[in-house]
Amino acid sequence: MKINELKSEGLKKSYKVVISKEDFAKDIDNKLSQIAKKAKIQGFRAGKAPLSMVKKKFLNEVMSEALDDAVRNGSNQVLSDNKLRPVSQPAIKITSFGEGKDLEFDMDVEILPEIKLGDFTKISLDKYTAEVPAAEVDKAVKYLAEARKESVKVDGKKAAKGDVVMIDFVGSIDGVEFNGGKGNDYPLELGSGSFIPGFEDQLIGSEAGSKVDVKVKFPDTYHAKDLAGKDAVFAVTVKEVREPKAVEINDELAKSLGAESLDKLKETLSSRIKSDYDNASRMKLKRQLLDVLDSEYSFEVPASLVDAEYQAIVNQYEQAKKYNQLDEEEKNKKEEDLLKEYKDIAVRRVKLGLLLSEVGQNAKISIKPEDINAAIMNEAKRYPGQEQMVLDYYLKNKQAVEALKAPIFEEKIIDYIISQAKLNEKVVSVEELYKFDEEKKSAKKSSKKSA
């Protein structure tokens, strides 16, 4: 086998591989000999047919198999001899093939870059933490009490802001009813902002038995494109006016929420809020670390990986654009500027992904069953009261479990680096803890991937 390098441009390399006709013929003869030992050909006992007849019947099949083996072994030899780590399967182009000919093929391969890891103990990071204010706990208790409040029917009362009106309604545009614009016995709290802007205000002052034509305009960004920006009229019948009945904040409320007492409820809420603060702290610390790594490391990234990542971001953008879900910053930018920004984000993600992967391999970081179990339990905690349903979902869905492995691996690598870095503990206000504006650019589109 002869291997010659044809071209080398950064991470893209091309080779020519030549396997002599003698070696290729020898491989074919060996395969035919193996087949001949068991071949069943009419007029002969199994394995007793002449090799010439075996060759005539099986040559095309054997040549195809030999070609596959030769290309696979040849490309593996190229990678092994040159110590190359391919991004994906090499591209193969057969340039010479046939009985009595040398087998020749060209091989194009894109490789992973060599990354020299530095000393992580020289990294300095600020770790922000915040204490849970008592007022925040009281606010959470009040929110729970508000969620459990009931309303009582009041005859002869004119609806005011904060009251609940029981209504039937039918929506129409240009006199024609539209899908999803009809409802019966709907409890609407006036001032809640749960309906289209302007809807609730027009029911203030109504009373049981009132019929009101509510005229509104759907927002331009309304999720249903056929309704966005259009004027509509809702024929509303007010059936009841109800006043909210305050819920007392005491031990009885706490017990109704599953706590032993109001003090225990506050302890639980304080713990949950602190957990939220810790998550925000972790997010800031991780983003800060990724920014440092992005700044300190410089190496070429595979174009194919960048293109794939870029296309994924663009597809996400196109979907958001289609359903009027772009944020204000995106709406106010020229598309060409956005696409350039997305390209930069794609490069950053690929770069950091490769860097973290290199750290993981170098540090021999692996995912253990207990890591997966912990991730599943954390996921279940996000859905209070539905924990068992979440656990059952992962128990029955292997793909969902597999999807957890990549983020688990990344977080373990981040933990490994942070454990070596110097951390400067800083106690800050809650407002400062949740201030991410200065990191917005690097975090853009981070809902898909954290890097």
Side-chain angles (χ1 to χ4, degrees), residues 120-294:
F120 297 135
T121 63
K122 294 181 179 179
I123 294 177
S124 180
L125 303 170
D126 292 331
K127 182 179 180 181
Y128 299 96
T129 59
E131 300 299 328
V132 180
E136 196 66 23
V137 177
D138 291 339
K139 182 180 176 181
V141 173
K142 186 176 180 181
Y143 174 82
L144 291 175
E146 284 288 314
R148 297 182 72 85
K149 74 179 179 182
E150 298 178 349
S151 59
V152 293
K153 178 182 176 183
V154 181
D155 293 328
K157 184 181 189 304
K158 291 187 177 182
K161 190 173 182 179
D163 288 342
V164 174
V165 289
M166 298 292 292
I167 59 173
D168 293 343
F169 58 89
V170 178
S172 62
I173 295 177
D174 296 329
V176 180
E177 292 183 25
F178 55 85
N179 291 332
K182 188 175 184 179
N184 293 313
D185 294 323
Y186 188 92
L188 175 63
E189 180 181 342
L190 302 183
S192 65
S194 56
F195 269 31
I196 304 165
F199 189 105
E200 296 166 22
D201 292 341
Q202 295 177 54
L203 295 179
I204 292 176
S206 64
E207 53 189 337
S210 295
K211 294 184 182 296
V212 183
D213 284 339
V214 176
K215 299 177 181 179
V216 293
K217 181 178 181 179
F218 283 96
D220 293 334
T221 56
Y222 197 66
H223 61 86
K225 294 190 74 174
D226 57 327
L227 301 178
K230 292 185 178 180
D231 294 316
V233 177
F234 286 84
V236 179
T237 299
V238 179
K239 302 173 80 172
E240 290 181 7
V241 176
R242 308 178 68 89
E243 281 186 342
K245 182 181 178 182
V247 175
E248 289 189 40
I249 296 176
N250 52 26
D251 287 343
E252 291 304 314
L253 170 65
K255 290 176 181 177
S256 72
L257 293 167
E260 294 178 14
S261 64
L262 183 58
D263 287 341
K264 288 293 183 182
L265 175 62
K266 288 184 176 182
E267 286 179 17
T268 300
L269 291 173
S270 180
S271 177
R272 288 180 184 174
I273 295 170
K274 185 67 170 91
S275 178
D276 290 340
Y277 289 1
D278 291 343
N279 288 336
S281 174
R282 163 76 176 191
M283 188 183 299
K284 287 179 80 77
L285 185 63
K286 180 178 177 179
R287 266 186 209 170
Q288 190 184 160
L289 172 62
L290 293 176
D291 286 342
V292 169
L293 295 177
D294 186 33

Side-chain angles (χ1 to χ4, degrees), residues 1-19:
M1 182 187 301
K2 295 180 180 178
I3 299 172
N4 294 314
E5 185 174 7
L6 299 177
K7 187 170 57 175
S8 179
E9 295 178 351
L11 299 177
K12 293 183 178 180
K13 299 182 180 297
S14 297
Y15 298 86
K16 176 172 280 297
V17 180
V18 179
I19 299 172

Side-chain angles (χ1 to χ4, degrees), residues 384-419:
Q386 303 178 55
E387 291 89 347
Q388 191 58 50
M389 184 174 69
V390 174
L391 295 177
D392 290 342
Y393 170 74
Y394 282 104
L395 189 64
K396 298 174 183 177
N397 193 330
K398 290 184 178 180
Q399 287 185 329
V401 175
E402 285 298 315
L404 290 174
K405 289 184 178 180
I408 291 173
F409 187 55
E410 179 178 295
E411 291 304 314
K412 291 193 74 171
I413 296 168
I414 293 293
D415 285 338
Y416 170 77
I417 300 174
I418 289 175
S419 70

